[in-house]
Amino acid sequence: MMRFRPSTVRRRRSQSASSALKDKDSSHAKQDSKPVKKKSVQWADDLKREQFGRPPLRKYNSDGILEFDQALKKLTRVSSMLETSTTLEKDFDEDLQIIQKKLMAESLLYTFEVRVLVKGYWIQISEIAVIKMSEVPVDNILDSLQEPIPRVGVTDAERELANNAHVEFENKQYDRCLMSLNKLSELRKNDPKVQHNNLVAQFYHSSCRGSEEFAHNLLQLRRQIEKDSGETGEELDDIDTAHLLYNESVIYFHLRQYTKALQILERLFKIVEPLEESLGYKICFLLSEIYLTLYKADKGHNVLTVLEAVAFGSNKPVESQMIQGGLQVQLGTGGQTGPQPIKEVDESLKLHIHQHKARLNILLKSMKACKREIKTVLNTNNATPEGLFLKGNFEFLRQNFRKSIKLLNSAPKPNDLADRGQSVSTMYYNNLGCIHFQMHKYNLAAFYFRKSLQENNKALSSLPPADKNAPVSSRALLTLGVSRRHEILYNLGIQLLFSGRPVVAFDCLVEAVQIYHTNPRLWLRLAECCVVAFQLSDDFRQQCIKKSDVVQDVVGSGPHRKIVLSPQTDKQCGTEENKGQSAAMPACTLAFASLCLQNALMLLKSAEVTQVHETESVLENQSGKEDDSLGQEMDASSDIGGLSRSSSVQSETSIPAPPGPPVKLREVPHLRCSILACSAYVALGLGDNVMALVHAQKLLSQSNLVGALKFLGHLYAAEALIKQNRLPEAIMHLSPENISNINIIPASTSAEVGSGENVDKDKETTKPHACEKMTFPESLNEARSSFLVNLAGVYSLQSEFDKARKCLQQACSLGYPKDLSARVVLLSVYIELQSGNTAGALQTIKKHQVLPLSKGFKAVKKTRGADVWKT
C-alpha cells in the first residue's frame, strides 16, 4: 500500500529566480517514487497539510491545460518578495513565517501547497492565499504586521487523529484505524476525504470482501461531492478526487467491468502530470492493462509513451496524442535545448514498463521491438513466469512451437494464488493447448484444455468457500479474476469441433456464449457445430463410398437375378428432431443453427453502424490536426515498433469479440460471407428453399469474395433453384467457368501473413484449420468436377441423357472427390437405365465406375444382361 501525499503544484519560477537558484536545483529536486506491484485501493492522507471544505483551485479548460493565471501572478510576487527582502539574508525562518501569516490574512478561500526554494533550502509554505495579494512592498508588510493570525482549517486534534489513523492503517490494525476515523468523523461530519478513508478502512477490515458494495459506496460518495460542489461529470475537479476515482476503477477492473473503469481512468490520465508520481504510475499501468486486455494497441501506445517519458526523462519532447478529443500534451524539456539528466528509476518500475511494452509489441506483432523488450525483461529477472511466458508467446507467434513449449516447461509455477490473483498452472496448460492447436493436433490440444479446466477448478477449491447467494461479494478482491472457465471452454469447444466431435463442442460453446454473447464469431461456431452434427448423421454420405455399400442385396438367380441398391434420400430436419421442443432452446439442430446465424448477422450489422459514426468522428479530428502533428508522428511511433497514425482508426473500427481479438474492419466482409454461406446451407437442410436462394444470392453479390465461398454460393443457389423447378437458372450457376480458384483465406490476409514480420522466414505458414471429418475439394479440378456431376443431374431431370453422360465423363477425366464416388455411380446407373442400356448399368455397378463413352455400348451388346453381373 503506497502512502498518499498531497499533490504538489509545479510552477515555473521567473527568469531572475531561476538564474539565482539554478545551481541548487539539481541536488534537491529528486523525489523517490516506487511502483505498485499489484492494483489495490488507495488511502487518502490529506488531513495533514490541506484545508477542507474549500472549492477547488485548479481547473482545466477544453484543451486539458492547467489554468494558473491568477495563481502564478501571486506566486511570482511571493518569489520576488523572498528574493528582494534583505531581512531574509539574516534570519529567513522568522521572516518567512511572518510573511506567511500576513498573506493568510488577505483571504482564506483558496489554498494549496507550494514549495519555494530560498538560498538552497526547501521552505514549506503549506497554506497561502492567492485570491488577492497586497501591493505593499515586503518591508512594509513586515512592519505593519501587529498580531499573529489564528490558524484556520485542520485543528491539532484532528491532525493527530488523522496521523494515528494513517499509522494504524499502514500497520494493518484496521480496528484501531476505524476507531480513530470514527472519532474524526464526529469532528468533521461532512468531510468527503474522511468518509473515503473510512470506506477504505472498512473494506480492508473485511479482508477486501464486498467489492460490489464498496464500489456502490464510492459511487454514492462521488455523487455527493458533485452535488455539494454543484459540478458534475468532467466539470468536477478530478485532482481533489483522484484517489476516489482511482479506487473506483480498481474495483471495476477486478469485476471485469472494463468500460466503466476505462471512463474513469481516461479522465485521470488527462491530469496525470500534476498528480503525485506514485499515483500517476498506478493510473498509467492500470490504464495500459485495460487497453491491452481490450486489444486497443494505439491507446496503449500513448499511455506507455507518456509513462516512459515521465519515468525515465527524455532528451527531447515526447509528443503523445491523448485519449479523447485528440488533445496534445508535450512532456519533457519545454523550452530548454540542452540534454536533460535521466531520472533514477526503481528497477521494479523499469521491469513493469518493459513488460507492458513487450505485451504491446506482441499485440502489434512487431517482432524486432518485442525481442528487444523481452531481452531486457529476462536480463532484469529471468526467474519470473511473466518473462518466460512472454518469451514463449513470442516464439509461438514466430511458429517456433517446440521452443515455445520448452520455455513454458522451464517457467516456475508458484502457488501464491492469493497474492497473484491468478493460477499459473491454469495458464500453462491453456497455452500448451493453443500451441498444439496451431500444430493441427486437435485431440492433444483438447487434452491440455481439459487439464487447464482441472487446474482452474483446483485453484477455485483452494479459496475459501463463497456464498451461493452472493458469489462476488463474498470473495476477496484479488481472487475475483481467478476463474478462467469460460475462456477455456471457448478454446476447448473449438478443438472438439475441429476434431469431429460437434455435439460435445456445442455443449462447451453454449456455456461460453452465456458470457460472450456479443461475439459474432462464437455464434457462427455454434451454428457450425449444428451443421457438422447434421452432416455426420447422414449415414449414406458417410458409408456409400465402396461398391459393397452401393449394393444392398442381390436376390434371385439366373435370368431372375435382381440387384437391390441402397436407398438414397435427402436428410431433412423434420419434426422428429424438435418434437416437443422450441427451436429457441439450445440444441444441436439446424433450427437452432438458424437462430445463431441470425444473431451473428445482427451483431455485425449493429456494430458496423456504430463504427461508421466513430470512424467519421476520428477522421474529422485527425484531419483538423494533420498539419500540426504530421511531422511528429514518425518520432512517436518509431520506438514502439512502427505504430502508424492509421492504427488509431483501425482500433476504433473494430468489433469487440471477447475473449478473442476484435474483428477488424477488413475482416468483417469475410466473416459476413461465411455466415451467409452457412445460412444458405442451413436453410436448404430445413427445406426453406426460398431463403436458401436469398442467402446464396446475397453471398454471390459480396465484393472480394474468396474462391471457396464463391464455389459454395453457386452450389447452394443451384440446389435451391432445382428444388423450385427452375432448372435453366440452375444450369447457369453450375457452369465450371464460374469458379477460378478455391482459396479459403482472402488474398490480402494471406499476403500479410506471408510478407509480414510476424512469421519467421525459416518456417512455413501453416495451412488453414478445418474439421477433420469434413471433406472439401482440394484442387480446382475437383471443384469443377463437382459442378459437372451436379450439372449431369440437372440434365437428367430434363431427360437430356446424352449431355448428362458427357458431363459425367468430363467429371471423371478431371477427377472427382472420393466422397462423390457413390453418387456418381448411382447417377451413371440411372442414366444408363433411362437410356435403355441395362447391360451398361450392370457393368457400371460391377466396376464401380463410369464406363468410357466409346467402349461402353459395343462391349455390352455382345453379351446378355443376365450374364454380366456375377456374384
Side-chain angles (χ1 to χ4, degrees):
M1 175 65 61
M2 300 298 297
R3 177 182 175 185
F4 169 71
R5 292 190 291 271
S7 59
T8 303
V9 180
R10 303 182 179 96
R11 65 181 182 86
R12 294 185 179 179
R13 295 189 296 273
S14 60
Q15 295 296 330
S16 59
S18 61
S19 60
L21 306 175
K22 185 176 180 180
D23 42 15
K24 300 292 185 179
D25 233 344
S26 59
S27 61
H28 299 278
K30 295 179 180 178
Q31 294 182 356
D32 188 19
S33 60
K34 297 182 179 180
V36 174
K37 296 183 179 179
K38 59 183 180 181
K39 308 168 188 65
S40 56
V41 296
Q42 295 298 300
W43 175 274
D45 185 24
D46 284 356
L47 287 177
K48 295 185 178 180
R49 302 184 181 91
E50 292 195 3
Q51 178 181 356
F52 293 87
R54 62 181 188 276
L57 170 67
R58 290 156 286 194
K59 297 289 182 182
Y60 294 89
N61 58 14
S62 59
D63 293 332
I65 303 175
L66 204 58
E67 291 183 349
F68 284 122
D69 296 339
Q70 225 176 6
L72 286 176
K73 292 179 182 179
K74 309 307 177 184
L75 291 174
T76 305
R77 294 177 183 175
V78 174
S79 179
S80 62
M81 291 178 192
L82 296 177
E83 289 181 0
T84 58
S85 175
T86 56
T87 58
L88 288 175
E89 300 277 346
K90 301 176 182 179
D91 193 1
F92 62 87
D93 287 331
E94 297 179 1
D95 294 338
L96 187 59
Q97 187 177 6
I98 295 173
I99 292 174
Q100 177 181 347
K101 292 179 179 179
K102 178 60 180 178
L103 294 176
M104 288 177 59
E106 298 291 335
S107 175
L108 292 173
L109 293 179
Y110 290 77
T111 61
F112 65 98
E113 179 188 355
V114 65
R115 286 185 174 182
V116 181
L117 186 63
V118 180
K119 302 297 181 184
Y121 297 91
W122 282 106
I123 306 300
Q124 190 76 21
I125 304 177
S126 59
E127 293 179 354
I128 298 181
V130 294
I131 288 229
K132 190 165 77 173
M133 182 70 69
S134 175
E135 298 295 338
V136 184
V138 63
D139 292 332
N140 295 338
I141 292 177
L142 298 176
D143 296 337
S144 62
L145 188 60
Q146 302 265 333
E147 297 178 358
I149 305 297
R151 183 180 181 86
V152 179
V154 182
T155 63
D156 293 337
E158 294 169 349
R159 193 181 306 279
E160 183 178 359
L161 286 173
N163 290 335
N164 294 338
H166 182 265
V167 172
E168 291 160 354
F169 182 84
E170 292 292 338
N171 294 332
K172 300 182 179 180
Q173 299 176 357
Y174 303 121
D175 294 334
R176 305 173 105 185
C177 176
L178 285 173
M179 294 175 60
S180 301
L181 286 175
N182 291 333
K183 294 179 182 179
L184 187 60
S185 299
E186 296 177 357
L187 299 176
R188 310 185 68 88
K189 295 183 179 180
N190 297 323
D191 195 324
K193 292 186 175 63
V194 177
Q195 297 175 10
H196 169 265
N197 288 345
N198 203 337
L199 291 175
V200 174
Q202 292 176 5
F203 183 64
Y204 274 88
H205 182 259
S206 63
S207 301
C208 296
R209 289 183 172 87
S211 303
E212 292 180 335
E213 182 182 359
F214 181 57
H216 177 73
N217 293 335
L218 291 178
L219 180 60
Q220 293 298 325
L221 179 59
R222 177 155 62 94
R223 289 177 178 175
Q224 184 63 34
I225 296 174
E226 294 175 354
K227 182 179 179 181
D228 295 341
S229 62
E231 298 176 348
T232 58
E234 296 186 357
E235 297 177 357
L236 186 67
D237 184 17
D238 292 336
I239 293 183
D240 290 339
T241 59
H243 283 78
L244 173 64
L245 294 172
Y246 173 75
N247 289 342
E248 272 193 84
S249 63
V250 169
I251 300 299
Y252 290 140
F253 172 78
H254 285 286
L255 293 174
R256 300 188 185 180
Q257 300 178 11
Y258 299 125
T259 304
K260 293 182 179 180
L262 203 57
Q263 292 175 354
I264 297 174
L265 290 172
E266 286 177 347
R267 288 174 55 183
L268 292 176
F269 186 65
K270 295 179 181 179
I271 58 168
V272 71
E273 190 176 2
L275 295 177
E276 183 190 4
E277 284 190 349
S278 60
L279 179 61
Y281 292 153
K282 297 171 190 174
I283 292 172
C284 291
F285 278 126
L286 183 56
L287 185 57
S288 173
E289 182 72 30
I290 294 178
Y291 280 146
L292 292 175
T293 303
L294 298 179
Y295 296 90
K296 296 186 177 181
D298 60 323
K299 293 186 176 182
H301 166 259
N302 290 337
V303 175
L304 291 178
T305 302
V306 174
L307 178 60
E308 191 175 10
V310 173
F312 297 143
S314 177
N315 293 332
K316 59 181 179 179
V318 179
E319 296 289 341
S320 177
Q321 187 175 4
M322 298 300 287
I323 297 175
Q324 291 179 347
L327 304 179
Q328 295 286 335
V329 174
Q330 181 172 348
L331 305 173
T333 60
Q336 301 176 0
T337 58
Q340 297 298 309
I342 299 178
K343 298 169 61 176
E344 294 183 3
V345 186
D346 187 73
E347 290 297 328
S348 59
L349 175 62
K350 291 182 181 179
L351 180 62
H352 280 83
I353 292 177
H354 288 301
Q355 285 179 354
H356 277 251
K357 290 179 67 177
R359 292 173 58 191
L360 175 64
N361 287 315
I362 286 178
L363 186 61
L364 296 172
K365 297 183 180 179
S366 179
M367 296 294 103
K368 293 182 180 179
C370 181
K371 185 176 182 179
R372 182 172 61 251
E373 297 298 336
I374 291 178
K375 184 177 181 181
T376 305
V377 171
L378 293 178
N379 289 338
T380 303
N381 190 356
N382 59 358
T384 59
E386 289 85 357
L388 293 173
F389 272 56
L390 281 174
K391 181 67 173 176
N393 196 352
F394 171 75
E395 298 297 340
F396 170 76
L397 291 178
R398 298 180 64 192
Q399 300 181 8
N400 292 331
F401 300 126
R402 295 184 181 276
K403 189 173 182 180
S404 180
I405 294 174
K406 184 178 180 181
L407 288 167
L408 291 177
N409 291 334
S410 63
K413 301 168 185 61
N415 295 323
D416 50 347
L417 186 63
D419 296 334
R420 287 183 176 271
Q422 54 190 3
S423 173
V424 180
S425 299
T426 301
M427 299 181 183
Y428 164 73
Y429 286 112
N430 179 80
N431 293 345
L432 285 180
C434 294
I435 293 173
H436 287 88
F437 168 71
Q438 290 296 336
M439 298 170 68
H440 296 266
K441 298 179 179 180
Y442 305 122
N443 291 295
L444 192 55
F447 167 78
Y448 283 116
F449 283 126
R450 288 195 180 94
K451 291 283 292 182
S452 182
L453 275 178
Q454 295 175 4
E455 291 295 328
N456 184 75
N457 296 333
K458 182 179 178 182
L460 290 176
S461 62
S462 65
L463 298 174
D467 188 5
K468 294 182 179 180
N469 298 326
V472 177
S473 299
S474 60
R475 186 158 289 170
L477 178 68
L478 289 178
T479 61
L480 292 178
V482 171
S483 178
R484 298 288 178 178
R485 175 177 177 81
H486 294 91
E487 293 96 321
I488 301 171
L489 282 175
Y490 181 88
N491 293 338
L492 178 59
I494 301 299
Q495 311 311 310
L496 294 173
L497 174 61
F498 286 150
S499 61
R501 287 173 283 178
V503 178
V504 187
F506 180 85
D507 295 335
C508 295
L509 294 180
V510 161
E511 187 172 350
V513 83
Q514 299 176 17
I515 303 298
Y516 307 114
H517 51 270
T518 59
N519 186 350
R521 288 198 192 106
L522 182 52
W523 289 108
L524 176 60
R525 293 301 187 190
L526 279 170
E528 289 175 348
C529 290
C530 300
V531 169
V532 175
F534 175 76
Q535 288 185 340
L536 293 180
S537 63
D538 191 350
D539 298 332
F540 183 85
R541 179 185 179 88
Q542 297 299 319
Q543 295 179 1
C544 292
I545 297 177
K546 299 179 182 179
K547 179 176 67 174
S548 58
D549 298 325
V550 175
V551 179
Q552 183 175 351
D553 196 7
V554 179
V555 295
S557 61
H560 305 288
R561 188 184 302 271
K562 305 294 181 182
I563 300 173
V564 181
L565 301 179
S566 298
Q568 177 186 3
T569 58
D570 291 337
K571 181 178 175 60
Q572 298 289 340
C573 183
T575 57
E576 297 181 357
E577 281 185 339
N578 303 326
K579 188 175 182 180
Q581 182 179 355
S582 172
M585 295 298 294
C588 197
T589 60
L590 291 184
F592 185 74
S594 178
L595 296 179
C596 294
L597 294 170
Q598 291 177 20
N599 291 342
L601 284 175
M602 187 65 67
L603 286 172
L604 281 184
K605 184 178 180 180
S606 60
E608 278 186 318
V609 172
T610 305
Q611 295 299 333
V612 165
H613 296 296
E614 292 183 359
T615 306
E616 291 176 354
S617 61
V618 171
L619 290 175
E620 288 177 1
N621 291 333
Q622 289 187 352
S623 61
K625 299 182 180 181
E626 186 176 2
D627 296 336
D628 298 333
S629 60
L630 185 59
Q632 300 165 354
E633 290 167 358
M634 297 304 295
D635 294 336
S637 62
S638 58
D639 295 335
I640 202 68
L643 180 65
S644 61
R645 184 169 64 95
S646 61
S647 62
S648 61
V649 181
Q650 176 183 340
S651 176
E652 291 293 339
T653 55
S654 60
I655 301 174
V663 182
K664 298 179 182 179
L665 184 63
R666 64 176 181 270
E667 298 173 352
V668 171
H670 185 61
L671 180 59
R672 185 191 296 107
C673 292
S674 300
I675 296 173
L676 289 173
C678 195
S679 300
Y681 180 89
V682 170
L684 287 172
L686 292 173
D688 192 351
N689 303 318
V690 176
M691 286 305 302
L693 182 59
V694 170
H695 290 310
Q697 290 176 345
K698 284 184 179 179
L699 174 63
L700 294 174
S701 64
Q702 301 294 319
S703 59
N704 299 326
L705 187 62
V706 296
L709 294 180
K710 188 176 182 181
F711 163 75
L712 294 177
H714 284 292
L715 204 60
Y716 297 157
E719 184 173 351
L721 290 170
I722 291 172
K723 291 183 177 180
Q724 297 180 41
N725 201 22
R726 297 161 63 179
L727 301 182
E729 299 178 42
I731 292 175
M732 296 178 62
H733 281 283
L734 291 175
S735 174
E737 303 300 327
N738 287 335
I739 54 173
S740 58
N741 63 79
I742 55 170
N743 296 331
I744 299 177
I745 302 177
S748 58
T749 306
S750 59
E752 284 185 7
V753 173
S755 61
E757 63 170 347
N758 58 322
V759 180
D760 194 355
K761 295 180 180 180
D762 298 334
K763 302 292 180 181
E764 295 183 359
T765 305
T766 57
K767 61 180 180 180
H769 297 280
C771 180
E772 293 179 345
K773 294 186 178 181
M774 295 294 102
T775 58
F776 193 81
E778 298 181 356
S779 64
L780 181 60
N781 287 337
E782 287 190 359
R784 288 181 172 175
S785 66
S786 301
F787 270 22
L788 290 170
V789 171
N790 287 278
L791 188 59
V794 177
Y795 284 135
S796 298
L797 292 176
Q798 291 183 336
S799 300
E800 298 180 5
F801 300 112
D802 293 337
K803 291 183 179 180
R805 189 180 292 107
K806 290 179 180 179
C807 289
L808 283 183
Q809 292 293 336
Q810 190 175 355
C812 292
S813 63
L814 291 176
Y816 51 82
K818 291 183 178 180
D819 60 329
L820 289 180
S821 59
R823 298 177 184 269
V824 171
V825 170
L826 290 176
L827 180 57
S828 178
V829 171
Y830 175 80
I831 293 172
E832 298 298 336
L833 290 175
Q834 290 293 330
S835 301
N837 188 9
T838 306
L842 292 174
Q843 190 73 11
T844 301
I845 296 174
K846 180 180 179 180
K847 294 186 176 181
H848 196 70
Q849 65 181 11
V850 179
L851 297 179
L853 187 61
S854 59
K855 300 180 180 179
F857 291 109
K858 296 181 181 178
V860 172
K861 286 181 180 178
K862 296 179 181 178
T863 58
R864 292 187 308 157
D867 297 334
V868 173
W869 177 260
K870 295 181 181 179
T871 305

